[in-house]
Amino acid sequence: MNFSNTKISVKLSAAFFLMVLLTGAIGGFALMQLARINANTEDMASNWLPSIQYTGELQGLLNEFRQAETQHAMAVTAEEKKVEADRITADKAKLADVGKKIEGLLDTSSEKQSWEKFRADLTAYYTVSAKLLTMSDIGPAEAMATTELLNGESRNAFRTLVKNIESMTERNTQGAAAAREGAKSTYAS
């Protein structure tokens, strides 16, 4: 059977059917690419950006905590010290809440390791903080020792936490950038 001897209606039907198949294939490819872009966007919106937000909250709460410690060490009266001790207690609770949110977003082993290091360093910082507050509560007799602890071991523990948070923020920023690049690459293809 020669194609030139076929009826025109059969030729048109075959051409139309071929066009429908080709359009379906292109549509399917487009849907796959849109799904990839959507996955990258979802990853940024539900993982990377909240992680960056929560590490920022951690930084802010730790700064408040540190400020309350300093104010406690400088306070003279028991009432002033109690106000700062209450702030510290409230900040600990807020830090724990933000920590739970962050834990829910950890999905790689490096993120989990980084978080565990932060938690261990936070525990060490809380230990130094408790020692500092105890010395501060003694009053003028321990003022020099309190100041030395505040400016020495306590400051070093705080700076370690800040470095941990900066590292976590950088990792999450890089993850968001990678997801963005993935979406751009998919869009370009």
Side-chain angles (χ1 to χ4, degrees):
M1 174 172 172
N2 190 356
F3 190 70
S4 59
N5 293 337
T6 339
K7 288 180 164 187
I8 190 85
S9 63
V10 173
K11 289 180 184 177
L12 285 174
S13 294
F16 180 72
F17 182 70
L18 185 60
M19 290 299 290
V20 168
L21 282 178
L22 189 58
T23 301
I26 290 171
F29 177 74
L31 285 175
M32 285 181 3
Q33 296 298 72
L34 284 173
R36 287 179 56 198
I37 290 172
N38 184 55
N40 286 336
T41 303
E42 273 298 311
D43 192 32
M44 275 192 289
S46 64
N47 183 9
W48 298 113
L49 295 178
S51 294
I52 293 168
Q53 175 189 347
Y54 295 145
T55 54
E57 286 180 35
L58 277 180
Q59 180 66 55
L61 289 168
L62 282 171
N63 286 338
E64 287 179 28
F65 190 99
R66 180 71 176 161
Q67 182 183 24
E69 279 182 329
T70 303
Q71 293 299 318
H72 189 281
M74 293 183 345
V76 178
T77 67
E79 296 82 28
E80 292 172 326
K81 290 184 182 292
K82 182 175 179 351
V83 169
E84 300 307 329
D86 291 344
R87 264 180 62 193
I88 289 170
T89 301
D91 285 341
K92 276 186 178 181
K94 291 175 189 175
L95 282 163
D97 288 342
V98 174
K100 288 176 187 171
K101 292 176 186 176
I102 289 174
E103 286 175 356
L105 296 173
L106 302 176
D107 55 2
T108 66
S109 62
S110 67
E111 284 180 310
K112 290 174 184 173
Q113 287 173 347
S114 181
W115 179 248
E116 288 305 315
K117 180 175 178 355
F118 173 82
R119 285 183 47 182
D121 290 340
L122 183 62
T123 300
Y125 180 64
Y126 284 163
T127 302
V128 174
S129 178
K131 183 178 172 183
L132 176 73
L133 296 178
T134 301
M135 289 177 74
S136 175
D137 281 337
I138 292 173
E142 288 294 328
M144 279 303 276
T146 301
T147 302
E148 287 175 15
L149 182 61
L150 181 67
N151 293 328
E153 186 179 359
S154 179
R155 181 185 345 192
N156 292 338
F158 177 76
R159 286 180 177 168
T160 299
L161 287 173
V162 170
K163 287 178 185 174
N164 288 340
I165 290 173
E166 288 170 353
S167 172
M168 288 187 293
T169 301
E170 179 63 27
R171 181 177 290 110
N172 288 314
T173 301
Q174 289 172 354
R180 177 179 175 259
E181 288 303 314
K184 282 175 58 176
S185 171
T186 302
Y187 174 75
S189 71

